[in-house]
Amino acid sequence: MELVWLGTRKETLEMAEEIKEKYKNIFENILELKWRTAWVTPWFMAQEGKKGLSDMEGAGTVDYEAITPYNNKWIEFQNLSVNADKYTKGFNVKSQNNKKLWSGCSGIGLERWTAAFISQHGINIENWPDKFKKYFGKLPLGIKTL
């Protein structure tokens, strides 16, 4: 699943902060993950072989990483990018009043969320956080043969 947004520079940065707060709520209060963020080379720069951070203030990529207790390593399970005008300029996208626009994106890989969750909480539903169990509901019954 990919979230994509665009607007003025200010609107795009505000939306990124709002999404970050929503992720924080999910990761801390529902999934109860041990996680951290890392400010990394934006993927749109990495694809061009560039390293470092974007020279456009506010643009860049935040990786969300979860600890895997079985080997004490961090795995990336989410990211969020503010792409500045990389794509709006490239595709000549402008507002109706011809203002420069920025865009942002965040790909949500529920498989990665699941890997982070299971690595920290296991597969025994009794060990899962109560708030998550409320959203999850009941597990289906096992396979039956007739």
Side-chain angles (χ1 to χ4, degrees), residues 26-137:
I26 293 167
F27 302 153
E28 288 183 2
N29 299 322
I30 298 171
L31 299 178
E32 293 184 16
L33 294 176
K34 293 179 180 97
W35 63 282
R36 68 182 185 188
T37 59
W39 190 248
V40 300
T41 299
W43 66 272
F44 57 88
M45 288 175 57
Q47 287 183 331
E48 297 171 358
K50 297 177 182 176
K51 293 184 179 179
L53 302 177
S54 172
D55 57 359
M56 296 170 271
E57 189 175 330
T61 297
V62 175
D63 280 351
Y64 292 79
E65 301 173 334
I67 191 75
T68 53
Y70 57 87
N71 65 4
N72 224 22
K73 293 188 178 183
W74 294 89
I75 58 168
E76 178 193 340
F77 71 99
Q78 180 62 52
N79 67 34
L80 181 142
S81 294
V82 173
N83 305 318
D85 65 354
K86 169 74 176 167
Y87 296 103
T88 55
K89 186 177 177 183
F91 290 105
N92 199 28
V93 177
K94 294 183 179 152
S95 69
Q96 287 182 332
N97 56 4
N98 212 28
K99 284 188 180 177
K100 190 188 276 191
L101 297 175
W102 275 28
S103 69
C105 63
S106 183
I108 299 173
L110 297 179
E111 298 89 356
R112 290 181 178 207
W113 288 23
T114 302
F117 183 83
I118 296 295
S119 75
Q120 292 184 16
H121 297 293
I123 59 172
N124 186 344
I125 196 167
E126 287 82 29
N127 296 330
W128 293 357
D130 289 335
K131 280 192 180 177
F132 177 73
K133 286 192 278 190
K134 182 181 95 176
Y135 289 105
F136 187 80

Side-chain angles (χ1 to χ4, degrees), residues 7-23:
T8 64
R9 178 183 181 277
K10 181 178 185 272
E11 291 168 339
T12 302
L13 292 172
E14 286 173 354
M15 180 58 67
E17 291 306 313
E18 186 176 334
I19 293 168
K20 288 176 190 176
E21 285 302 312
K22 301 293 183 191
Y23 284 156

